[in-house]
């Protein structure tokens, strides 16, 4: 297994895909951090608050919600791309059983997902410091920042693993790119809007994209409200939470760990499906 994992890392770092997709992750992280801290500075200039406004927590949530798609695309292409360039034939012929190949890809790609997650949090932090003029007040307490940052890294890794499972399932590079993009930014968006105020609204937190976003957002939003409202947090109206969730992801009243378990279930289903299909797929 060790040799297979090393081989997968060599495949990853010998191509430009991993760093090409890392660039938008870093840019989105920096942009979200800078925008969040700039908004805080603007608000503070108009009305002085008696406590810090940790919008940096929400910035990490926003950047993660958009950046995870690149982790999923990387994971999907790490597997489906081998079918496009026919290298999967050599991989399968020199590795037995095929399940070991999938396991090696999951391990190697999770390492890249970890890099993506750390880059997202790091650049969001740098962007926040630049926008705030090196003021750490917009990050909240150290514990809150570390909690949200860890959740963001975990979400990135899980999206990468889901992508690997999806790539193994479809084994088509075009579908591996188009389907995740269309689903996350069109299908689920339209579906979520249609569920608002409907009898089936309760299923919204369990949709794949919403669950993935909720890993960070359902942690960041309550922490942000608690930090801003202070002792008045229990009196904060539901509308305030729903407004924040609308822009930064997640669902009101849905705990982050429930989103984590839901998304883990989706990742497991795709990985299991990819494993079953890849065992019987013909290669040429």
């Amino acid at each position: 297994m060790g040799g297979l994992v090393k081989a997968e890392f060599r495949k990853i770092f010998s191509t430009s895909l991993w760093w090409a997709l890392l660039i938008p992750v870093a840019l989105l992280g920096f942009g979200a951090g800078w925008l969040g801290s700039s908004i805080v500075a603007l608000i503070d200039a108009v009305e002085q608050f008696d406590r810090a406004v940790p919008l940096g927590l929400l910035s990490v949530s926003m950047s993660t919600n958009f950046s995870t798609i690149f982790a999923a695309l990387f994971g999907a292409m790490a597997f489906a791309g081998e079918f496009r360039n026919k290298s999967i034939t050599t991989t399968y012929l020199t590795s037995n059983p095929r399940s070991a190949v999938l396991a090696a890809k999951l391990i190697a790609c999770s390492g890249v997902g970890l890099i993506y997650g750390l880059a997202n949090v790091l650049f969001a932090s740098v962007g926040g410091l630049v926008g705030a003029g090196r003021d750490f007040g917009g990050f909240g307490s150290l514990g809150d920042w570390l909690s949200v940052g860890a959740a963001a890294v975990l979400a990135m890794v899980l999206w990468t693993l889901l992508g690997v499972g999806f790539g193994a399932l479809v084994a088509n590079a075009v579908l591996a790119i188009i389907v995740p993009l269309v689903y996350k930014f069109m299908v689920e968006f339209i579906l979520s809007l249609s569920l608002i105020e409907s009898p089936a609204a309760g299923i919204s937190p369990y949709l794949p994209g919403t669950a993935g976003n909720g890993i960070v957002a359902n942690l960041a939003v309550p922490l942000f409200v608690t930090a801003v409202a202070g002792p008045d947090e229990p009196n904060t109206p539901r509308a305030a939470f729903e407004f924040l969730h609308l822009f930064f992801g997640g669902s009101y009243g849905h705990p982050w760990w429930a989103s984590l378990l839901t998304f883990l279930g989706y990742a497991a289903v795709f990985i299991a499906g990819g494993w079953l299909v890849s065992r019987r797929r013909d290669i040429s």
Side-chain angles (χ1 to χ4, degrees), residues 77-127:
M77 286 300 297
F79 211 118
E82 287 215 52
F83 286 89
R84 180 190 59 187
N85 56 35
K86 303 299 183 180
S87 61
I88 193 65
T89 303
T90 303
T91 299
Y92 277 159
L93 291 177
T94 57
S95 306
N96 190 39
R98 292 186 180 186
S99 58
V101 175
L102 176 59
K105 285 187 180 293
L106 290 171
I107 294 172
C109 290
S110 65
V112 177
L114 179 64
I115 294 173
Y116 282 21
L118 292 173
N120 172 47
V121 175
L122 174 62
F123 279 90
S125 303
V126 173

Side-chain angles (χ1 to χ4, degrees), residues 40 50 150 158 170 192 261:
V40 170
D50 58 356
L158 291 178
V170 300
S192 297
L261 292 177

Side-chain angles (χ1 to χ4, degrees), residues 6 34 44 65 78 126 164 167 187 194:
K6 290 180 181 178
W34 176 83
D44 195 51
N65 293 346
V126 173
V164 174
V187 175
S194 65

